[in-house]
């Protein structure tokens, strides 16, 4: 069974996303909404990691798979500055969040196949929050993009 | 004669439930004048709070010399409050008024003529449009102008320039009211009416110190309380306000914990079965969303988090759940605190749970802070589109483009219009280079003033400030435009409960001062903004043209003005919208039939996630198919972002006093009001004062991570662990230390830049501070004794009184009250 591979992937990418949210918060402290929300969303990602724990205990998780990673989603190495820098950092978070989102979806498919009510419950709660994270990032970027791309210096 | 400084609310006129509130006509004239000296009385309404009292202006020899309440007006039945009585005319007729435009030359502001001043604005504006485009322009207006002026500004910004960077200081006072109504009901629009005070069995005031912010409305409540069948009163406020003193249940919550309390109240009401299941099934959706968020908030959990008694939470919930008719009012204690929209939506939810909306006595008043804030929201001068149109609905954009005869692409609608704090952020970053501020004073009223001063003084920011007086903000301007005041121009405005009033010009403005409308029209003309057909974008001659244009814009929208005209508004009472063919005499309450503007094509907003502010968007909204049903919206409780710690051990909250409005531009110039509350103070509890060895009047330094202030301390009844500071006091009349950097005293030196994720209203009510003593008292703190700032121990501070100067004539019951329901009162 390869579900542990996906549980490992999910665990890692929630962890990466949490760290990246925290990094963007610290790097963009002059944008109070970004600062406070990214910190809250980092906490949310860590909550998701904890929610996965009992599932991982049952199924195990695989750190390294025989299918090697082709696309590396390592998180943000550092944050950028300025209006376009903010946009790029939020966009990177969006990419990481999308990976989390689709991974939850795959795990949910497996959970349904396994008729695992506990796992379905965990996925349903976390997946909805991940979607809202993506919606917030999109809302915030749409607001910032014209100013950043047209008039910012 | 009654001293209305000592007696803020005036003489009681008790009445019973379901009766008409008796008339009491309040009148004050300049010293030595009697009614016979007055040349003429001119119809208007008061602009010194959001209540919207009908007022007549006394004119003698071309000057305003006093005011009286309009007996026939449904809002106030003749009464006026201290601010309206003393500041509305004395705050305008003053030697300090700006009479000529000013421009900056070699670093100094110097007098000039209109042609030069406007020429400078227009040449900078055109150059920036050429070089950077419309996103280089921002407008920050007010809740003090008239409807016609906001609409002109809205059209200029949205159809002329095409910039999304327009907001008002309404963002600071009333944005959450609008946001909560949009989330719950699909659109802005006050469900309730002041007449609900006449009918209710219980009244809940959530973070609303009505006794000081809307004194005439509170007089109406006091008259019910003194009547034979008094309503039960529940007050949520960390201070012992006059409301709290009359409350059956007072919940002095820790600042920043409102949502925990609201979750607890909703939980109790549901668990006790005090809900209308039929109403919920037929008229609402997403009831099931409430359960997850409220489950943990037992009365005991609320007590622990909010610092109130669990039994008081239970009792408040019982009153809400079992009273036949409940009125709820909400203001800054919720709007300017943490999780503002979510907390205010829970008030809406309580009413939806019981099906108590739009019926007599069963109202919600999501209050406004300012007299014309409703119009800023309606007319598109803030972060909304005119006529409560939805920026995410292409059909609404098309309607506006057709109405204005401009290209749809000009009207920026890729995102919600930019909110105030973000406008200042863009100016800070240098992408907004042209900022036009009208009738507001951000150098005192915005959070984190050291930062705001830095932004306003940026050399690359071209700053236009339009005001009555030199203010803390005009100091940074490149051009200062002298504006005509209330009473010096004609226009309309709309109060909290949708009542539209006409305010007629009574006197000429001083010197060369011009109305804000004239100024905006002149800018539009000089910029040569044109329609697709080549005509001028704004071809109005004066305010009545503006009103008629607005009427068309409002057609078919929830705020429908099509049945109103200047003629219709002359004489008698103000009239609440919608006024149209269906409701020719106006509308007292909305949503009595349980139908809400949540059809996809009508709705003003598709809503947000209340935790993050993420847009729901058209697809998800339509999939939810609310189709006229209200929506239960909520969020998990998170608490304040900045809470006390070892370094900054006290909670800091800001607020208002009954005697002043905003940054005292008008009220500070009325001697009676000035003398009642002349300068800055802070309030602390006896326990906190004792642990710091502070006595009444001692000078303290209050410091947060962002700044500090100096003020004398009033030892008052504020909850232990909390420091309260009034936000009115800036620097314009500070003769000791003119420089805020040297001797800061303003409350907002300490506040933090943070806003609600949905309403974008800044958080003024939670910060962490420390207090140290700097000098012994030289006398008591200059705080009134008649309000929430009364000393904790009586008898040691002289009582606040106005003496002869504070005397006002009150004529009780000179006439029968007008019927309250629209359609019956027109005489």
């Amino acid at each position: 069974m390869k579900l542990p591979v996906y549980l490992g992937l999910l665990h890692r990418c929630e962890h990466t996303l949490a760290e990246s949210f925290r990094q963007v918060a610290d790097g963009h402290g002059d944008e109070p909404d970004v600062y406070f929300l990214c910190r809250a969303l980092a906490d949310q990602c860590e909550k998701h990691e904890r929610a996965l724990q009992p599932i991982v205990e049952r199924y195990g998780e695989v750190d390294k798979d025989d299918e090697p990673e082709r696309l590396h989603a390592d998180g943000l190495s550092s944050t950028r500055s300025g209006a376009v820098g903010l946009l790029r950092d939020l966009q990177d978070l969006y990419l990481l969040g999308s990976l989390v989102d689709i991974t939850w979806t795959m795990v949910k498919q497996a959970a349904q196949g396994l008729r695992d009510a506990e796992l379905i419950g965990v996925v349903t709660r976390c997946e909805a929050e991940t979607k809202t994270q993506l919606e917030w990032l999109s809302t915030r970027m749409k607001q910032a993009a014209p100013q950043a791309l047209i008039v910012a210096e | 004669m009654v001293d209305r400084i000592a007696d803020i609310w005036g003489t009681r006129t008790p009445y019973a439930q379901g009766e008409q509130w008796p008339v009491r006509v309040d009148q004050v004239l300049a010293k030595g004048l009697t009614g016979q000296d007055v040349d003429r009385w001119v119809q208007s309404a008061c602009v010194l709070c959001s209540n919207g009292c009908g007022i007549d202006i006394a004119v003698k020899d071309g000057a305003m010399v006093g005011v009286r309440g309009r007996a026939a007006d449904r809002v106030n039945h003749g009464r006026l409050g201290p601010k309206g009585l003393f500041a509305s005319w004395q705050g305008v007729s003053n030697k300090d008024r700006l009479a000529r435009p000013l421009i900056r030359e070699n670093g100094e502001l110097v007098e000039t003529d209109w042609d030069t001043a406007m020429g400078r604005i227009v040449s900078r504006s055109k150059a920036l449009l050429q070089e950077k485009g419309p996103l280089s322009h921002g407008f920050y207006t007010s809740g003090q102008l008239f409807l016609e002026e906001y609409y002109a500004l809205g059209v200029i910004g949205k159809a002329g320039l095409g910039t999304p960077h327009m907001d008002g200081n309404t963002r600071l006072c009333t944005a959450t009211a609008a946001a909560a109504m949009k989330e719950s009901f699909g659109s802005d629009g006050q469900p309730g009416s002041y007449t609900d005070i006449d009918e209710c069995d219980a009244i809940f005031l959530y973070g609303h110190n009505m006794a000081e912010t809307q004194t005439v409305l509170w007089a109406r409540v006091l008259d019910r309380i003194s009547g034979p069948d008094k309503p039960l009163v529940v007050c949520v406020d960390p201070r012992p306000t006059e409301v709290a003193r009359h409350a059956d249940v007072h919940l002095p919550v820790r600042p920043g914990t409102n949502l925990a309390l609201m979750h607890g109240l909703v939980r109790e009401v549901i668990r006790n079965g005090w809900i209308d299941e039929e109403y919920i099934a037929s008229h609402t959706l997403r009831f099931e969303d409430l359960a997850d968020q409220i489950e943990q908030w037992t009365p005991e959990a609320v007590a622990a988090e909010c610092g109130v008694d669990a039994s008081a939470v239970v009792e408040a919930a019982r009153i809400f759940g079992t009273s036949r008719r409940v009125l709820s009012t909400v203001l800054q204690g919720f709007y300017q605190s943490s999780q503002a929209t979510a907390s205010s939506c829970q008030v809406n939810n309580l009413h939806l749970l019981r099906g108590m909306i739009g019926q007599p006595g069963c109202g919600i008043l999501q209050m406004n802070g300012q007299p014309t804030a409703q119009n800023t929201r309606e007319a598109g001068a803030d972060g909304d589109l005119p006529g409560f149109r939805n920026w995410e609905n292409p059909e609404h954009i098309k309607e506006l483009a057709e109405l204005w005869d401009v290209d749809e692409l000009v009207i920026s609608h890729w995102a919600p219009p930019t909110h105030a704090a973000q406008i200042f952020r863009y100016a800070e970053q240098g992408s907004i280079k042209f900022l036009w501020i009208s009738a507001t004073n951000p150098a005192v009223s915005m959070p984190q003033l050291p930062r705001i001063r830095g932004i306003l003084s940026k050399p690359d920011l071209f700053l236009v400030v339009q005001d009555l007086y030199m203010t803390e903000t005009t100091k940074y301007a490149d051009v200062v435009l002298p504006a005509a005041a209330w009473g010096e121009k004609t226009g309309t405005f709309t109060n909290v409960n949708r009542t539209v009033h006409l305010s007629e010009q009574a006197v000429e403005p001083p010197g060369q001062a011009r109305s804000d409308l004239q100024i905006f029209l002149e800018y539009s003309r000089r910029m040569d903004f044109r329609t697709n057909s080549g005509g001028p974008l704004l071809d109005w001659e004066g305010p009545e043209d503006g009103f008629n244009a607005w009427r068309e814009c409002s057609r078919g929208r929830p705020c429908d003005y099509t049945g109103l005209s200047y003629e219709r508004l002359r004489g008698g009472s103000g009239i609440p919208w919608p006024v149209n063919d269906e409701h020719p005499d106006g509308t007292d309450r909305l949503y009595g039939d349980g139908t809400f503007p949540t059809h996809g094509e009508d709705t003003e907003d598709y809503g947000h996630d209340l935790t993050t502010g993420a847009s729901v968007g058209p697809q998800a909204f339509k999939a939810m198919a609310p189709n006229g049903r209200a929506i239960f919206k909520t969020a998990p409780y998170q608490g304040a972002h900045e809470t006390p710690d070892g370094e900054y051990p006290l909670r800091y909250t800001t607020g208002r006093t009954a005697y002043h409005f905003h940054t005292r531009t008008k009220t500070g110039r009325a001697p009676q009001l000035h003398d009642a509350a002349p300068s800055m103070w802070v309030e602390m509890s006896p326990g906190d004062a004792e642990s710091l060895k502070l006595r009444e009047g001692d000078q303290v330094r209050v410091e947060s991570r962002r700044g500090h202030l100096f003020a004398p301390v009033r030892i008052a009844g504020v909850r232990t662990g909390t420091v309260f500071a009034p936000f009115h006091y800036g620097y314009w009349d500070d003769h000791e230390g003119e420089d805020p950097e040297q001797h800061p005293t303003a409350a907002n030196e300490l506040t933090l830049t943070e806003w609600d994720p949905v309403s974008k209203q800044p958080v003024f009510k939670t910060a962490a501070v420390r207090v140290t003593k700097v000098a012994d008292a030289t006398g008591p703190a200059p705080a009134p004794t008649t309000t929430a700032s009364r000393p904790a121990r009586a008898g040691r501070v002289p009582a606040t009184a106005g003496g002869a100067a504070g005397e006002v004539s009150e004529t009780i019951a000179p006439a029968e009250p007008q019927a309250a329901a629209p359609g019956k009162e027109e005489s």
Side-chain angles (χ1 to χ4, degrees):
Chain A
M1 183 163 85
K2 293 291 185 186
L3 177 59
V5 174
Y6 257 71
L7 290 177
L9 178 61
L10 185 54
H11 192 171
R12 281 196 304 281
C13 60
E14 281 282 13
H15 189 76
T16 305
L17 183 58
E19 283 183 339
S20 301
F21 267 126
R22 209 149 265 140
Q23 196 161 16
V24 172
D26 292 340
H28 295 279
D30 289 338
E31 314 289 343
D33 56 342
V34 171
Y35 176 75
F36 287 119
L37 271 169
C38 285
R39 280 164 48 119
L41 297 180
D43 292 345
Q44 201 173 58
C45 294
E46 283 165 359
K47 200 180 75 188
H48 293 178
E49 284 185 66
R50 288 193 297 277
L52 266 179
Q53 209 47 51
I55 309 295
V56 167
E57 277 164 22
R58 280 203 280 123
Y59 292 101
E61 71 180 313
V62 174
D63 278 341
K64 291 262 190 296
D65 184 21
D66 43 6
E67 291 293 324
E69 299 269 335
R70 302 294 184 202
L71 175 68
H72 296 276
D74 295 338
L76 275 71
S77 51
S78 64
T79 51
R80 305 163 177 98
S81 64
V84 180
L86 172 68
L87 200 58
R88 288 294 304 277
D89 285 344
L90 294 176
Q91 193 155 327
D92 286 348
L93 289 175
Y94 192 89
L95 291 174
L96 290 170
S98 305
L99 179 60
V100 173
D101 180 52
I102 195 67
T103 311
W104 277 117
T105 307
M106 295 309 110
V107 170
K108 188 176 189 178
Q109 296 302 98
Q112 284 168 325
L114 289 163
R115 305 175 194 172
D116 183 335
E118 186 193 6
L119 181 52
I120 293 171
V122 170
V123 176
T124 307
R125 277 196 303 281
C126 297
E127 179 188 51
E129 289 181 341
T130 300
K131 286 203 189 312
T132 304
Q133 292 179 1
L134 291 175
E135 282 161 8
W136 172 69
L137 286 164
S138 161
T139 302
R140 187 64 176 83
M141 284 190 288
K142 281 165 80 177
Q143 175 210 319
Q147 198 72 9
L149 300 181
I150 302 172
V151 276
E153 286 162 353
Chain B
M1 298 292 245
V2 177
D3 177 354
R4 291 292 301 281
I5 295 296
D7 181 357
I8 295 169
W9 306 280
T11 307
R12 293 280 59 75
T13 53
Y15 69 120
Q17 186 174 42
E19 284 181 4
Q20 296 278 325
W21 188 29
V23 172
R24 184 192 85 196
V25 174
D26 298 352
Q27 175 178 312
V28 69
L29 293 170
K31 199 176 171 193
L33 296 186
T34 68
Q36 285 164 341
D37 299 314
V38 174
D39 297 338
R40 58 202 170 88
W41 292 93
V42 179
Q43 180 181 354
S44 180
C46 184
V47 289
L48 269 304
C49 83
S50 64
N51 202 47
C53 296
I55 199 169
D56 286 325
I57 306 169
V59 179
K60 178 177 166 55
D61 302 329
M64 293 192 227
V65 293
V67 290
R68 74 175 174 210
R70 287 178 62 80
D73 202 277
R74 76 175 74 228
V75 169
N76 53 323
H77 294 213
R79 287 163 194 75
L80 295 173
K83 292 189 284 277
L85 285 163
F86 300 117
S88 53
W89 51 290
Q90 296 182 111
V92 168
S93 305
N94 188 286
K95 60 175 174 41
D96 298 343
R97 283 290 298 280
L98 285 167
R100 296 188 62 184
L102 306 171
I103 52 170
R104 192 165 293 277
E105 290 288 356
N106 303 317
E108 297 291 315
L109 284 172
V110 296
E111 289 195 341
T112 188
D113 54 37
W114 275 99
D115 191 51
T116 308
M118 291 305 290
R120 193 166 284 198
I121 293 170
V122 167
S123 83
R124 185 74 186 126
S125 192
K126 282 185 170 166
L128 272 174
L129 283 183
Q130 184 79 30
E131 189 193 337
K132 298 267 177 191
L135 302 188
S136 58
H137 283 54
F139 292 82
Y140 183 52
T141 190
S142 177
Q144 308 283 318
L145 305 185
F146 290 162
L147 169 59
E148 297 79 357
E149 296 171 326
Y150 295 131
Y151 187 48
L153 184 58
V155 174
I156 287 169
K158 287 168 170 76
L161 288 162
T163 175
H165 307 322
M166 308 191 75
D167 204 358
N169 64 10
T170 48
R171 183 67 64 184
L172 279 46
C173 82
T174 184
T176 303
M181 292 190 280
K182 288 183 217 174
E183 296 295 332
S184 299
F185 312 132
S187 175
D188 197 344
Q190 192 70 261
S193 166
Y194 295 164
T195 56
D196 290 327
I197 293 171
D198 311 344
E199 307 279 350
C200 68
D201 297 294
I203 173 166
F204 278 61
L205 298 103
Y206 296 99
H208 182 195
N209 184 3
M210 188 197 280
E212 297 193 53
T213 53
Q214 285 85 15
T215 60
V216 171
L217 201 58
W218 179 244
R220 195 168 187 153
V221 175
L222 280 180
D223 284 344
R224 273 295 315 278
I225 290 174
S226 337
D229 39 18
K230 83 177 257 319
L232 295 168
V233 177
V234 177
C235 169
V236 181
D237 199 309
R239 298 167 78 211
T241 60
E242 196 65 18
V243 176
R245 282 154 68 96
H246 285 88
D248 297 276
V249 179
H250 178 206
L251 297 158
V253 293
R254 279 190 193 106
T257 64
N258 295 325
L259 186 58
L261 171 70
M262 295 313 298
H263 283 347
L265 293 177
V266 168
R267 182 178 179 277
E268 280 293 292
V269 165
I270 294 176
R271 285 174 73 93
N272 285 289
W274 294 318
I275 59 174
D276 182 340
E277 287 178 13
E278 204 172 309
Y279 188 92
I280 293 169
S282 313
H283 301 291
T284 72
L285 72 167
R286 305 196 78 149
F287 171 69
E288 64 282 1
D289 286 4
L290 295 177
D292 270 355
Q293 309 310 343
I294 62 176
E295 199 41 50
Q296 72 184 96
W297 293 106
T298 61
E300 292 70 28
V302 172
E305 181 63 23
C306 304
V308 296
D309 290 339
S311 60
V313 177
V314 171
E315 179 58 9
R318 192 194 62 77
I319 292 173
F320 194 93
T322 59
S323 297
R324 205 156 54 89
R325 287 175 288 192
V326 184
L327 170 64
S328 291
T329 75
V330 194
L331 196 58
Q332 308 308 3
F334 271 39
Y335 298 167
Q336 293 184 339
S337 195
S338 307
Q339 300 190 276
T341 304
S343 305
S344 305
C345 280
Q346 280 291 40
V347 176
N348 295 343
N349 292 343
L350 278 170
H351 282 262
L352 291 171
L353 286 170
R354 291 207 59 205
M356 289 198 307
I357 292 187
Q359 307 299 331
C362 302
I364 299 170
L365 294 170
Q366 296 280 0
M367 297 294 293
N368 303 341
Q370 296 182 79
T372 74
Q374 188 64 45
N375 306 112
T376 322
R377 274 147 56 184
E378 288 165 12
D382 69 348
D384 292 306
L385 290 181
F388 299 158
R389 284 177 175 82
N390 183 349
W391 62 271
E392 285 188 285
N393 183 340
E395 287 304 311
H396 284 188
I397 303 301
K398 201 168 150 208
E399 280 173 24
L400 288 175
E402 279 170 12
L403 180 74
W404 295 333
D405 186 23
V406 296
D407 190 332
E408 279 173 52
L409 285 174
V410 174
I411 307 170
S412 53
H413 59 282
W414 53 72
T418 314
H419 61 97
Q422 191 67 51
I423 290 176
F424 279 82
R425 176 65 181 146
Y426 288 151
E428 184 175 40
Q429 291 179 307
S431 65
I432 286 181
K433 292 195 181 301
F434 175 102
L435 181 60
W436 189 326
I437 295 173
S438 43
T440 186
N441 191 9
V444 180
S445 56
M446 286 288 279
Q448 203 180 344
L449 293 182
R451 173 175 170 262
I452 295 296
R453 285 192 290 269
I455 297 171
L456 293 174
S457 55
K458 272 176 66 100
D460 66 341
L461 178 69
F462 185 83
L463 185 66
V464 181
V465 181
Q466 181 169 319
D467 214 311
L468 309 183
Y469 295 99
M470 290 302 277
T471 66
E472 291 84 344
T473 302
T474 55
K475 199 165 108 175
Y476 302 97
D478 294 284
V479 179
V480 178
L481 301 175
W486 173 88
E488 298 166 353
K489 60 182 184 180
T490 294
T492 54
F493 59 92
T494 307
N495 75 348
V496 172
N497 77 336
R498 296 172 275 100
T499 305
V500 187
H501 284 105
L502 176 66
S503 178
E504 302 258 27
Q505 181 173 359
V507 299
E508 291 298 321
Q512 296 177 18
R514 291 181 181 173
S515 75
D516 299 274
L517 181 65
Q518 280 176 297
I519 296 169
F520 293 143
L521 293 178
E522 173 77 8
Y523 173 70
S524 181
R525 229 176 348 257
R526 284 176 181 249
M527 291 298 288
D528 200 28
F529 293 131
R530 297 203 168 262
T531 63
N532 280 336
S533 344
L537 178 65
L538 285 172
D539 58 357
W540 314 345
E541 300 272 317
E544 193 159 2
D545 291 342
F547 185 83
N548 294 339
W550 162 250
R551 216 165 43 178
E552 281 315 303
C553 184
S554 77
R555 185 178 293 279
R557 298 300 302 158
C559 52
D560 195 331
Y561 282 64
T562 48
L564 288 172
S565 64
Y566 275 21
E567 202 42 51
R568 182 79 200 284
L569 290 166
R570 287 200 171 97
S573 172
I575 303 172
W577 61 248
V579 194
N580 50 20
D581 291 343
E582 199 185 332
H583 306 281
D585 298 311
T587 310
D588 205 24
R589 298 180 183 85
L590 303 180
Y591 314 138
D593 60 355
T595 306
F596 299 89
T598 53
H599 289 277
E601 63 273 22
D602 295 338
T603 190
E604 183 184 5
D605 202 304
Y606 296 126
H608 302 82
D609 170 60
L610 299 193
T611 302
T612 60
S615 301
V616 169
Q619 265 186 322
F621 185 86
K622 285 171 188 165
M624 193 164 59
N627 298 335
R629 289 175 293 169
I631 306 168
F632 284 106
K633 297 288 289 258
T634 191
Y637 172 75
Q638 290 172 325
H641 283 132
E642 189 177 273
T643 50
D645 53 25
E647 217 179 334
Y648 297 93
L650 296 164
R651 283 175 201 260
Y652 180 73
T653 186
T654 72
R656 286 139 193 83
T657 184
Y659 299 104
H660 286 300
F661 191 61
H662 281 196
T663 60
R664 295 173 305 123
T665 313
K666 289 179 178 174
T667 53
R669 289 180 167 92
Q672 297 88 341
L673 300 173
H674 172 270
D675 294 348
S679 58
M680 183 64 181
W681 73 89
V682 296
E683 292 168 29
M684 293 178 71
S685 73
D688 290 331
E690 198 180 315
S691 61
L692 292 167
K693 303 202 170 15
L694 295 173
R695 293 169 172 230
E696 168 69 30
D698 279 354
Q699 292 287 329
V700 295
R701 175 188 158 103
V702 187
E703 184 179 9
S704 77
R705 287 182 176 83
R706 292 151 298 277
H708 65 279
L709 65 78
F710 296 101
V713 65
R714 161 60 46 87
I715 300 171
V718 63
R719 67 167 294 142
T720 300
T722 298
V723 179
F724 171 86
F727 90 114
H728 308 290
Y729 298 95
Y731 303 97
W732 63 264
D733 58 344
D734 183 356
H735 305 298
E736 287 172 33
E738 297 264 317
D739 184 358
E741 306 292 347
Q742 297 302 316
H743 189 78
T745 54
N748 280 318
E749 302 288 347
L750 279 58
T751 44
L752 76 164
T753 302
E754 187 201 350
W755 52 83
D756 180 72
V758 180
S759 69
K760 311 291 194 281
Q761 185 154 352
V763 176
F764 290 98
K765 302 277 192 189
T766 66
V769 296
R770 61 181 170 222
V771 175
T772 45
K773 178 173 164 174
V774 294
D776 284 333
T778 52
T785 64
T786 43
T787 61
S789 59
R790 78 178 61 73
R793 271 177 290 182
R796 302 188 179 193
V797 178
T800 301
E807 285 190 345
V808 169
S809 94
E810 294 184 344
T811 312
I812 292 171
E816 286 300 305
Q818 302 281 353
K824 293 178 186 148
E825 76 291 290
E826 302 301 328
S827 52

